[in-house]
Short mmCIF file of all heavy atoms in Angstrom, two decimals:
data_model
loop_
_atom_site.label_atom_id
_atom_site.label_comp_id
_atom_site.label_asym_id
_atom_site.label_seq_id
_atom_site.Cartn_x
_atom_site.Cartn_y
_atom_site.Cartn_z
N LEU A 18 93.06 99.61 93.50
CA LEU A 18 92.00 99.50 94.47
C LEU A 18 91.12 98.27 94.20
O LEU A 18 90.81 97.53 95.16
CB LEU A 18 91.16 100.77 94.45
CG LEU A 18 90.59 101.27 95.76
CD1 LEU A 18 91.55 101.32 96.91
CD2 LEU A 18 89.92 102.58 95.58
N PRO A 19 90.76 97.99 92.96
CA PRO A 19 89.94 96.80 92.73
C PRO A 19 90.69 95.50 93.07
O PRO A 19 90.11 94.56 93.51
CB PRO A 19 89.61 96.85 91.24
CG PRO A 19 89.74 98.30 90.88
CD PRO A 19 90.82 98.83 91.76
N LEU A 20 92.01 95.51 92.84
CA LEU A 20 92.78 94.30 93.15
C LEU A 20 92.79 94.01 94.67
O LEU A 20 92.60 92.89 95.09
CB LEU A 20 94.24 94.48 92.68
CG LEU A 20 95.18 93.32 92.98
CD1 LEU A 20 94.72 92.06 92.31
CD2 LEU A 20 96.59 93.67 92.56
N ILE A 21 92.98 95.05 95.48
CA ILE A 21 92.94 94.84 96.92
C ILE A 21 91.60 94.37 97.38
O ILE A 21 91.50 93.46 98.21
CB ILE A 21 93.36 96.16 97.65
CG1 ILE A 21 94.77 96.57 97.28
CG2 ILE A 21 93.20 96.00 99.16
CD1 ILE A 21 95.13 97.96 97.79
N ASN A 22 90.53 94.94 96.84
CA ASN A 22 89.21 94.49 97.18
C ASN A 22 88.98 93.06 96.79
O ASN A 22 88.38 92.29 97.55
CB ASN A 22 88.18 95.43 96.49
CG ASN A 22 86.79 95.27 97.04
OD1 ASN A 22 86.60 94.77 98.14
ND2 ASN A 22 85.80 95.68 96.26
N THR A 23 89.44 92.67 95.65
CA THR A 23 89.33 91.25 95.19
C THR A 23 90.09 90.34 96.14
O THR A 23 89.54 89.26 96.46
CB THR A 23 89.86 91.11 93.78
OG1 THR A 23 89.15 91.99 92.90
CG2 THR A 23 89.73 89.70 93.25
N ILE A 24 91.27 90.71 96.55
CA ILE A 24 92.05 89.88 97.46
C ILE A 24 91.29 89.70 98.79
O ILE A 24 91.21 88.60 99.32
CB ILE A 24 93.44 90.47 97.70
CG1 ILE A 24 94.28 90.38 96.43
CG2 ILE A 24 94.14 89.79 98.86
CD1 ILE A 24 95.57 91.18 96.48
N ILE A 25 90.75 90.80 99.30
CA ILE A 25 89.99 90.71 100.56
C ILE A 25 88.81 89.78 100.42
O ILE A 25 88.56 88.90 101.27
CB ILE A 25 89.55 92.10 100.98
CG1 ILE A 25 90.75 92.94 101.44
CG2 ILE A 25 88.54 92.05 102.13
CD1 ILE A 25 90.46 94.40 101.66
N ILE A 26 88.06 89.95 99.37
CA ILE A 26 86.84 89.11 99.17
C ILE A 26 87.20 87.66 99.02
O ILE A 26 86.55 86.77 99.52
CB ILE A 26 86.02 89.66 97.97
CG1 ILE A 26 85.39 91.00 98.36
CG2 ILE A 26 84.95 88.65 97.56
CD1 ILE A 26 84.69 91.71 97.23
N ASN A 27 88.29 87.39 98.27
CA ASN A 27 88.69 85.98 98.02
C ASN A 27 89.22 85.32 99.28
O ASN A 27 89.18 84.06 99.38
CB ASN A 27 89.75 85.88 96.92
CG ASN A 27 89.18 86.14 95.53
OD1 ASN A 27 87.98 85.96 95.34
ND2 ASN A 27 89.99 86.55 94.63
N ARG A 28 89.70 86.06 100.23
CA ARG A 28 90.22 85.45 101.46
C ARG A 28 89.13 85.23 102.51
O ARG A 28 89.38 84.61 103.53
CB ARG A 28 91.31 86.34 102.06
CG ARG A 28 92.57 86.31 101.23
CD ARG A 28 93.65 87.04 101.87
NE ARG A 28 94.83 86.97 101.04
CZ ARG A 28 96.06 87.14 101.48
NH1 ARG A 28 96.26 87.39 102.75
NH2 ARG A 28 97.07 87.07 100.67
N LEU A 29 87.96 85.75 102.29
CA LEU A 29 86.87 85.60 103.22
C LEU A 29 85.92 84.47 102.77
O LEU A 29 85.82 84.22 101.59
CB LEU A 29 86.06 86.92 103.33
CG LEU A 29 86.80 88.08 103.98
CD1 LEU A 29 85.99 89.33 103.83
CD2 LEU A 29 87.08 87.80 105.41
N PRO A 30 85.25 83.86 103.73
CA PRO A 30 84.21 82.92 103.32
C PRO A 30 83.08 83.64 102.58
O PRO A 30 82.90 84.83 102.74
CB PRO A 30 83.72 82.35 104.63
CG PRO A 30 84.29 83.12 105.73
CD PRO A 30 85.37 83.95 105.16
N ASP A 31 82.39 82.91 101.72
CA ASP A 31 81.34 83.54 100.93
C ASP A 31 80.31 84.29 101.77
O ASP A 31 79.79 85.30 101.36
CB ASP A 31 80.64 82.49 100.05
CG ASP A 31 81.52 81.95 98.93
OD1 ASP A 31 82.51 82.63 98.60
OD2 ASP A 31 81.21 80.85 98.43
N SER A 32 80.03 83.77 102.94
CA SER A 32 79.03 84.41 103.81
C SER A 32 79.51 85.74 104.33
O SER A 32 78.67 86.57 104.79
CB SER A 32 78.66 83.50 104.97
OG SER A 32 79.80 83.27 105.80
N LYS A 33 80.79 86.03 104.31
CA LYS A 33 81.33 87.29 104.85
C LYS A 33 81.87 88.21 103.76
O LYS A 33 82.46 89.25 104.06
CB LYS A 33 82.47 86.96 105.83
CG LYS A 33 82.09 86.15 107.02
CD LYS A 33 81.28 86.92 107.97
CE LYS A 33 80.98 86.10 109.21
NZ LYS A 33 80.17 86.79 110.17
N ALA A 34 81.70 87.86 102.48
CA ALA A 34 82.25 88.66 101.39
C ALA A 34 81.64 90.06 101.37
O ALA A 34 82.32 91.07 101.14
CB ALA A 34 82.04 87.95 100.05
N GLY A 35 80.33 90.15 101.56
CA GLY A 35 79.65 91.49 101.59
C GLY A 35 80.17 92.33 102.74
O GLY A 35 80.37 93.54 102.55
N LEU A 36 80.35 91.75 103.88
CA LEU A 36 80.84 92.48 105.04
C LEU A 36 82.29 92.98 104.76
O LEU A 36 82.61 94.13 105.07
CB LEU A 36 80.84 91.59 106.29
CG LEU A 36 81.39 92.20 107.54
CD1 LEU A 36 80.58 93.41 107.96
CD2 LEU A 36 81.46 91.16 108.65
N GLY A 37 83.11 92.12 104.17
CA GLY A 37 84.45 92.52 103.85
C GLY A 37 84.48 93.68 102.86
O GLY A 37 85.27 94.61 103.01
N ASN A 38 83.63 93.61 101.85
CA ASN A 38 83.51 94.69 100.89
C ASN A 38 83.11 95.97 101.53
O ASN A 38 83.65 97.07 101.28
CB ASN A 38 82.56 94.28 99.80
CG ASN A 38 82.55 95.19 98.64
OD1 ASN A 38 83.60 95.67 98.21
ND2 ASN A 38 81.38 95.42 98.04
N ALA A 39 82.11 95.92 102.41
CA ALA A 39 81.61 97.12 103.10
C ALA A 39 82.69 97.74 104.02
O ALA A 39 82.86 98.97 104.03
CB ALA A 39 80.39 96.78 103.93
N ILE A 40 83.41 96.90 104.72
CA ILE A 40 84.45 97.42 105.61
C ILE A 40 85.60 98.05 104.79
O ILE A 40 86.10 99.11 105.14
CB ILE A 40 85.00 96.29 106.52
CG1 ILE A 40 83.93 95.88 107.53
CG2 ILE A 40 86.27 96.69 107.22
CD1 ILE A 40 84.29 94.68 108.36
N PHE A 41 85.94 97.44 103.66
CA PHE A 41 87.00 97.96 102.80
C PHE A 41 86.64 99.38 102.34
O PHE A 41 87.44 100.31 102.42
CB PHE A 41 87.18 97.03 101.60
CG PHE A 41 88.16 97.56 100.59
CD1 PHE A 41 89.51 97.52 100.84
CD2 PHE A 41 87.68 98.08 99.40
CE1 PHE A 41 90.42 98.02 99.87
CE2 PHE A 41 88.56 98.57 98.44
CZ PHE A 41 89.94 98.54 98.69
N PHE A 42 85.43 99.56 101.82
CA PHE A 42 85.07 100.88 101.32
C PHE A 42 84.80 101.88 102.42
O PHE A 42 85.08 103.05 102.29
CB PHE A 42 83.85 100.75 100.39
CG PHE A 42 84.23 100.26 99.01
CD1 PHE A 42 83.91 98.95 98.64
CD2 PHE A 42 84.96 101.02 98.13
CE1 PHE A 42 84.26 98.47 97.38
CE2 PHE A 42 85.31 100.58 96.88
CZ PHE A 42 84.98 99.29 96.52
N ALA A 43 84.31 101.42 103.57
CA ALA A 43 84.11 102.31 104.71
C ALA A 43 85.47 102.82 105.24
O ALA A 43 85.63 104.00 105.57
CB ALA A 43 83.37 101.63 105.83
N ALA A 44 86.47 101.94 105.24
CA ALA A 44 87.82 102.34 105.68
C ALA A 44 88.40 103.39 104.75
O ALA A 44 89.05 104.37 105.18
CB ALA A 44 88.75 101.10 105.75
N GLY A 45 88.12 103.24 103.44
CA GLY A 45 88.59 104.26 102.52
C GLY A 45 87.93 105.62 102.75
O GLY A 45 88.59 106.65 102.72
N ASP A 46 86.65 105.58 102.99
CA ASP A 46 85.93 106.83 103.27
C ASP A 46 86.43 107.47 104.54
O ASP A 46 86.65 108.68 104.60
CB ASP A 46 84.45 106.58 103.37
CG ASP A 46 83.82 106.22 102.07
OD1 ASP A 46 84.44 106.48 101.01
OD2 ASP A 46 82.72 105.59 102.06
N ILE A 47 86.66 106.69 105.59
CA ILE A 47 87.19 107.22 106.85
C ILE A 47 88.58 107.80 106.65
O ILE A 47 88.91 108.84 107.19
CB ILE A 47 87.18 106.13 107.94
CG1 ILE A 47 85.70 105.81 108.31
CG2 ILE A 47 87.96 106.55 109.18
CD1 ILE A 47 85.56 104.56 109.15
N GLY A 48 89.37 107.11 105.81
CA GLY A 48 90.73 107.61 105.50
C GLY A 48 90.69 108.99 104.84
O GLY A 48 91.50 109.86 105.15
N PHE A 49 89.74 109.19 103.94
CA PHE A 49 89.61 110.49 103.29
C PHE A 49 89.24 111.56 104.29
O PHE A 49 89.73 112.71 104.26
CB PHE A 49 88.57 110.46 102.16
CG PHE A 49 89.07 109.85 100.88
CD1 PHE A 49 88.44 108.74 100.34
CD2 PHE A 49 90.18 110.37 100.22
CE1 PHE A 49 88.88 108.16 99.19
CE2 PHE A 49 90.61 109.79 99.05
CZ PHE A 49 89.97 108.71 98.52
N ILE A 50 88.32 111.25 105.19
CA ILE A 50 87.88 112.21 106.20
C ILE A 50 89.03 112.56 107.14
O ILE A 50 89.30 113.75 107.38
CB ILE A 50 86.69 111.66 106.97
CG1 ILE A 50 85.47 111.53 106.04
CG2 ILE A 50 86.36 112.54 108.17
CD1 ILE A 50 84.32 110.73 106.63
N ILE A 51 89.69 111.56 107.68
CA ILE A 51 90.78 111.80 108.62
C ILE A 51 91.93 112.46 107.93
O ILE A 51 92.55 113.39 108.45
CB ILE A 51 91.20 110.48 109.29
CG1 ILE A 51 90.11 109.98 110.20
CG2 ILE A 51 92.52 110.66 110.10
CD1 ILE A 51 90.33 108.60 110.78
N GLY A 52 92.26 112.00 106.71
CA GLY A 52 93.38 112.59 105.99
C GLY A 52 93.20 114.08 105.65
O GLY A 52 94.09 114.89 105.87
N ALA A 53 92.02 114.40 105.17
CA ALA A 53 91.74 115.81 104.84
C ALA A 53 91.80 116.69 106.12
O ALA A 53 92.37 117.78 106.09
CB ALA A 53 90.38 115.93 104.17
N THR A 54 91.25 116.18 107.18
CA THR A 54 91.24 116.95 108.40
C THR A 54 92.68 117.09 108.96
O THR A 54 93.09 118.20 109.34
CB THR A 54 90.35 116.23 109.49
OG1 THR A 54 89.07 116.08 108.92
CG2 THR A 54 90.30 117.05 110.76
N LEU A 55 93.42 115.99 109.01
CA LEU A 55 94.76 116.02 109.56
C LEU A 55 95.68 116.88 108.72
O LEU A 55 96.35 117.81 109.26
CB LEU A 55 95.32 114.60 109.66
CG LEU A 55 96.77 114.48 110.04
CD1 LEU A 55 96.94 114.86 111.48
CD2 LEU A 55 97.28 113.07 109.81
N TRP A 56 95.75 116.64 107.40
CA TRP A 56 96.72 117.38 106.57
C TRP A 56 96.28 118.83 106.40
O TRP A 56 97.11 119.72 106.35
CB TRP A 56 96.84 116.69 105.23
CG TRP A 56 97.43 115.34 105.37
CD1 TRP A 56 96.89 114.16 104.96
CD2 TRP A 56 98.68 114.94 106.02
NE1 TRP A 56 97.65 113.11 105.28
CE2 TRP A 56 98.75 113.51 105.91
CE3 TRP A 56 99.68 115.64 106.64
CZ2 TRP A 56 99.84 112.83 106.46
CZ3 TRP A 56 100.76 114.93 107.16
CH2 TRP A 56 100.81 113.55 107.07
N GLY A 57 94.97 119.11 106.41
CA GLY A 57 94.48 120.50 106.40
C GLY A 57 94.85 121.23 107.63
O GLY A 57 95.26 122.39 107.61
N SER A 58 94.78 120.56 108.76
CA SER A 58 95.16 121.16 110.04
C SER A 58 96.67 121.48 110.06
O SER A 58 97.06 122.54 110.49
CB SER A 58 94.81 120.25 111.19
OG SER A 58 95.25 120.74 112.41
N ILE A 59 97.45 120.54 109.59
CA ILE A 59 98.92 120.76 109.57
C ILE A 59 99.24 121.92 108.62
O ILE A 59 100.05 122.77 108.96
CB ILE A 59 99.64 119.47 109.17
CG1 ILE A 59 99.54 118.43 110.29
CG2 ILE A 59 101.12 119.75 108.83
CD1 ILE A 59 100.05 117.08 109.95
N ALA A 60 98.62 121.93 107.43
CA ALA A 60 98.86 123.00 106.47
C ALA A 60 98.44 124.36 107.02
O ALA A 60 99.10 125.37 106.83
CB ALA A 60 98.18 122.74 105.17
N GLY A 61 97.31 124.36 107.76
CA GLY A 61 96.83 125.60 108.34
C GLY A 61 97.68 126.14 109.46
O GLY A 61 97.84 127.34 109.62
N ARG A 62 98.27 125.24 110.23
CA ARG A 62 99.09 125.64 111.35
C ARG A 62 100.53 125.98 110.94
O ARG A 62 101.21 126.72 111.63
CB ARG A 62 99.13 124.59 112.42
CG ARG A 62 97.81 124.37 113.09
CD ARG A 62 97.84 123.18 114.01
NE ARG A 62 96.53 122.81 114.44
CZ ARG A 62 96.02 123.12 115.63
NH1 ARG A 62 96.74 123.81 116.50
NH2 ARG A 62 94.80 122.77 115.96
N SER A 63 100.98 125.44 109.84
CA SER A 63 102.37 125.72 109.39
C SER A 63 102.30 126.26 107.96
O SER A 63 102.02 127.40 107.76
CB SER A 63 103.24 124.44 109.52
OG SER A 63 102.67 123.38 108.78
N SER A 64 102.60 125.38 106.99
CA SER A 64 102.54 125.75 105.59
C SER A 64 102.35 124.53 104.75
O SER A 64 102.51 123.42 105.21
CB SER A 64 103.81 126.49 105.18
OG SER A 64 104.90 125.59 105.19
N TYR A 65 102.03 124.75 103.46
CA TYR A 65 101.89 123.61 102.58
C TYR A 65 103.22 122.89 102.39
O TYR A 65 103.28 121.67 102.22
CB TYR A 65 101.33 124.04 101.22
CG TYR A 65 99.85 124.27 101.22
CD1 TYR A 65 99.30 125.52 101.25
CD2 TYR A 65 98.97 123.18 101.27
CE1 TYR A 65 97.95 125.74 101.27
CE2 TYR A 65 97.62 123.36 101.29
CZ TYR A 65 97.11 124.64 101.29
OH TYR A 65 95.76 124.82 101.36
N THR A 66 104.31 123.62 102.41
CA THR A 66 105.66 123.00 102.26
C THR A 66 105.90 122.01 103.38
O THR A 66 106.32 120.88 103.14
CB THR A 66 106.73 124.10 102.24
OG1 THR A 66 106.46 125.01 101.21
CG2 THR A 66 108.11 123.48 102.07
N ILE A 67 105.66 122.44 104.61
CA ILE A 67 105.85 121.53 105.76
C ILE A 67 104.90 120.34 105.67
O ILE A 67 105.31 119.19 105.88
CB ILE A 67 105.58 122.31 107.08
CG1 ILE A 67 106.57 123.44 107.24
CG2 ILE A 67 105.61 121.36 108.29
CD1 ILE A 67 108.04 122.99 107.35
N MET A 68 103.67 120.61 105.26
CA MET A 68 102.72 119.50 105.14
C MET A 68 103.19 118.47 104.14
O MET A 68 103.20 117.28 104.38
CB MET A 68 101.34 120.01 104.71
CG MET A 68 100.32 118.91 104.59
SD MET A 68 98.88 119.34 103.58
CE MET A 68 99.57 119.44 101.96
N PHE A 69 103.67 118.93 102.94
CA PHE A 69 104.12 118.00 101.93
C PHE A 69 105.40 117.26 102.34
O PHE A 69 105.61 116.13 101.95
CB PHE A 69 104.33 118.70 100.59
CG PHE A 69 103.02 118.98 99.88
CD1 PHE A 69 102.63 120.26 99.58
CD2 PHE A 69 102.18 117.96 99.51
CE1 PHE A 69 101.43 120.53 98.91
CE2 PHE A 69 100.96 118.17 98.88
CZ PHE A 69 100.59 119.46 98.58
N ILE A 70 106.26 117.91 103.11
CA ILE A 70 107.45 117.22 103.63
C ILE A 70 107.04 116.09 104.57
O ILE A 70 107.54 114.97 104.49
CB ILE A 70 108.37 118.22 104.35
CG1 ILE A 70 109.01 119.13 103.30
CG2 ILE A 70 109.44 117.51 105.18
CD1 ILE A 70 109.79 120.31 103.89
N ILE A 71 106.06 116.36 105.44
CA ILE A 71 105.58 115.32 106.36
C ILE A 71 104.88 114.22 105.59
O ILE A 71 105.08 113.02 105.90
CB ILE A 71 104.63 115.95 107.42
CG1 ILE A 71 105.43 116.92 108.32
CG2 ILE A 71 104.02 114.86 108.28
CD1 ILE A 71 104.54 117.76 109.24
N VAL A 72 104.07 114.56 104.56
CA VAL A 72 103.45 113.54 103.76
C VAL A 72 104.47 112.67 103.07
O VAL A 72 104.35 111.45 103.02
CB VAL A 72 102.48 114.19 102.73
CG1 VAL A 72 102.01 113.18 101.68
CG2 VAL A 72 101.29 114.83 103.41
N ALA A 73 105.50 113.28 102.49
CA ALA A 73 106.54 112.52 101.83
C ALA A 73 107.24 111.59 102.78
O ALA A 73 107.53 110.40 102.47
CB ALA A 73 107.55 113.45 101.17
N PHE A 74 107.55 112.07 103.96
CA PHE A 74 108.23 111.24 104.97
C PHE A 74 107.36 110.08 105.43
O PHE A 74 107.82 108.93 105.47
CB PHE A 74 108.60 112.12 106.18
CG PHE A 74 109.33 111.41 107.26
CD1 PHE A 74 110.66 110.99 107.08
CD2 PHE A 74 108.69 111.11 108.45
CE1 PHE A 74 111.32 110.30 108.08
CE2 PHE A 74 109.38 110.42 109.46
CZ PHE A 74 110.70 110.03 109.30
N THR A 75 106.09 110.33 105.73
CA THR A 75 105.21 109.25 106.17
C THR A 75 104.94 108.27 105.03
O THR A 75 104.85 107.06 105.27
CB THR A 75 103.91 109.75 106.75
OG1 THR A 75 103.28 110.61 105.79
CG2 THR A 75 104.12 110.55 108.03
N SER A 76 104.86 108.72 103.82
CA SER A 76 104.65 107.85 102.69
C SER A 76 105.90 106.95 102.47
O SER A 76 105.76 105.76 102.17
CB SER A 76 104.40 108.62 101.39
OG SER A 76 103.19 109.35 101.54
N ALA A 77 107.09 107.55 102.60
CA ALA A 77 108.31 106.75 102.46
C ALA A 77 108.38 105.65 103.55
O ALA A 77 108.76 104.51 103.23
CB ALA A 77 109.52 107.67 102.55
N ILE A 78 107.99 106.00 104.76
CA ILE A 78 108.00 105.01 105.84
C ILE A 78 106.99 103.89 105.53
O ILE A 78 107.29 102.68 105.69
CB ILE A 78 107.67 105.66 107.20
CG1 ILE A 78 108.83 106.53 107.62
CG2 ILE A 78 107.37 104.61 108.25
CD1 ILE A 78 108.56 107.35 108.87
N ALA A 79 105.81 104.25 104.99
CA ALA A 79 104.82 103.22 104.68
C ALA A 79 105.31 102.32 103.57
O ALA A 79 105.14 101.09 103.60
CB ALA A 79 103.53 103.92 104.22
N VAL A 80 106.01 102.85 102.57
CA VAL A 80 106.55 102.02 101.46
C VAL A 80 107.61 101.09 102.01
O VAL A 80 107.67 99.91 101.72
CB VAL A 80 107.12 102.91 100.33
CG1 VAL A 80 107.95 102.08 99.35
CG2 VAL A 80 105.98 103.63 99.63
N ILE A 81 108.50 101.61 102.86
CA ILE A 81 109.59 100.79 103.42
C ILE A 81 109.01 99.67 104.31
O ILE A 81 109.41 98.50 104.18
CB ILE A 81 110.57 101.67 104.23
CG1 ILE A 81 111.35 102.56 103.30
CG2 ILE A 81 111.53 100.82 105.06
CD1 ILE A 81 112.16 103.68 103.95
N LEU A 82 108.03 99.99 105.12
CA LEU A 82 107.40 98.97 105.94
C LEU A 82 106.68 97.92 105.12
O LEU A 82 106.69 96.75 105.46
CB LEU A 82 106.44 99.63 106.95
CG LEU A 82 107.09 100.44 108.07
CD1 LEU A 82 106.01 101.12 108.91
CD2 LEU A 82 107.97 99.57 108.93
N SER A 83 106.06 98.33 104.04
CA SER A 83 105.33 97.35 103.19
C SER A 83 106.30 96.45 102.43
O SER A 83 106.03 95.30 102.15
CB SER A 83 104.38 98.04 102.23
OG SER A 83 105.10 98.78 101.29
N ILE A 84 107.47 96.97 102.10
CA ILE A 84 108.46 96.15 101.39
C ILE A 84 109.09 95.10 102.31
O ILE A 84 109.30 93.97 101.94
CB ILE A 84 109.56 97.01 100.77
CG1 ILE A 84 108.97 97.83 99.61
CG2 ILE A 84 110.75 96.20 100.29
CD1 ILE A 84 109.91 98.89 99.05
N PHE A 85 109.40 95.52 103.56
CA PHE A 85 110.13 94.68 104.46
C PHE A 85 109.27 94.01 105.54
O PHE A 85 109.76 93.62 106.61
CB PHE A 85 111.25 95.47 105.15
CG PHE A 85 112.28 95.94 104.21
CD1 PHE A 85 112.40 97.30 103.93
CD2 PHE A 85 113.13 95.07 103.60
CE1 PHE A 85 113.37 97.76 103.03
CE2 PHE A 85 114.10 95.49 102.70
CZ PHE A 85 114.21 96.85 102.41
N GLN A 86 108.00 93.84 105.30
CA GLN A 86 107.16 93.19 106.27
C GLN A 86 107.40 91.77 106.39
O GLN A 86 107.50 90.81 106.12
CB GLN A 86 105.70 93.51 106.09
CG GLN A 86 105.17 93.10 104.74
CD GLN A 86 103.67 93.19 104.71
OE1 GLN A 86 103.01 92.51 105.46
NE2 GLN A 86 103.15 94.05 103.86
#
């Protein structure tokens, strides 16, 4: 996490570094909120097994897309 934040800050002009930092951490917070709501809803409607299968599948797709971008 610190490495990604450093990359973002280094790619921005000095005048926008604070904004980039704020957006980075806000996106993480929003991800936690949406993730907990989404995966909790899926687990509640089906089961934890189904939820973890979907998580594994979406994580594998994210890894594949990040490798071959």
Side-chain angles (χ1 to χ4, degrees):
L18 215 50
L20 177 63
I21 297 169
N22 193 19
T23 302
I24 291 169
I25 291 170
I26 290 172
N27 287 338
R28 290 186 180 202
L29 292 172
D31 290 341
S32 63
K33 300 289 183 179
L36 177 63
N38 191 38
I40 291 172
F41 174 76
F42 283 106
D46 292 340
I47 291 168
F49 282 121
I50 293 167
I51 292 172
T54 304
L55 174 68
W56 298 121
S58 175
I59 290 172
R62 293 173 191 259
S63 56
S64 67
Y65 281 105
T66 302
I67 298 296
M68 181 200 69
F69 283 120
I70 289 170
I71 295 170
V72 169
F74 182 71
T75 55
S76 297
I78 290 173
V80 168
I81 290 168
L82 290 175
S83 68
I84 290 172
F85 296 110
Q86 58 170 298

